[in-house]
Amino acid sequence: MKIGTSILAIVIYITFTSCSNKEKQKPIVKDHDEVPQYVKMNNNIKLTDSLFNLAISKGDEKAYNNVAGNYILDANYQGLLYYSTIMANKYNSPEAHFHIFLILSNTNNGKPFNELDDKTKNLALYHLVKSNELGYESAKYSINEVLGKGKPIQKSSYYLLEYSK
């Protein structure tokens, strides 16, 4: 009888421990329908308009970068081009110059940068090199990717002259 009681105790123990382990092993299911933060912000027209207005009227680079980053994540390049151009031309913003480079580079339907037409390529390179000249770190990395690591870099004005030909 002691053997039967021991076996019963073992079976009950195994049953309870295996049930508690199954509960612990259940995968955590995340809500995949959650909308990313950048989409929420981009859909808030009042907020994005106020940030862009602050950026272009006062040169507020923090406001510009806040909304520009969300536009880039959302691949809303056409919506960003106007504001980037204002920030680059009016305030000489290194990030805005870089964003113009990204926009012009990503409008080639997935084709490599080298397959851009010459005018667009030179305009994109002008903004990339200008961003680098203004000290934007990401521009240095992109220059190495586009022009080749260790190759001599022309001044931004060179690419602007090439563009105007």
Side-chain angles (χ1 to χ4, degrees), residues 149-162:
K149 191 170 185 165
K151 293 197 177 180
I153 303 166
Q154 301 288 336
K155 291 196 177 284
S156 59
S157 57
Y158 167 82
Y159 295 105
L160 199 55
L161 288 171
E162 289 296 309

Side-chain angles (χ1 to χ4, degrees), residues 137-149:
E137 286 296 318
S138 295
K140 292 175 186 172
Y141 174 77
S142 293
I143 284 173
N144 287 333
E145 274 192 359
V146 171
L147 299 176
K149 191 170 185 165

Side-chain angles (χ1 to χ4, degrees), residues 73-93:
L73 286 172
D74 204 20
N76 186 355
Y77 301 121
Q78 290 177 343
L80 182 59
L81 183 58
Y82 169 78
Y83 298 104
S84 297
T85 302
I86 298 295
M87 290 298 291
N89 291 340
K90 189 173 181 181
Y91 300 107
N92 219 16
S93 165

Side-chain angles (χ1 to χ4, degrees), residues 59-151:
D60 187 330
E61 289 206 29
K62 186 176 179 182
Y64 167 77
N65 288 329
N66 189 354
V67 72
N70 290 317
Y71 268 55
I72 289 169
L73 286 172
D74 204 20
N76 186 355
Y77 301 121
Q78 290 177 343
L80 182 59
L81 183 58
Y82 169 78
Y83 298 104
S84 297
T85 302
I86 298 295
M87 290 298 291
N89 291 340
K90 189 173 181 181
Y91 300 107
N92 219 16
S93 165
E95 291 90 350
H97 280 287
F98 186 73
H99 293 156
I100 294 170
F101 161 74
L102 288 177
I103 293 165
L104 294 173
S105 300
N106 284 300
T107 57
N108 202 24
N109 296 322
K111 294 179 184 173
F113 180 80
N114 289 334
E115 291 184 24
L116 285 171
D117 65 277
D118 288 339
K119 281 190 145 323
T120 305
K121 188 185 307 180
N122 282 309
L123 186 57
L125 286 171
Y126 162 74
H127 286 288
L128 175 61
V129 174
K130 185 68 173 180
S131 178
N132 181 55
E133 290 170 354
L134 294 170
Y136 193 58
E137 286 296 318
S138 295
K140 292 175 186 172
Y141 174 77
S142 293
I143 284 173
N144 287 333
E145 274 192 359
V146 171
L147 299 176
K149 191 170 185 165
K151 293 197 177 180

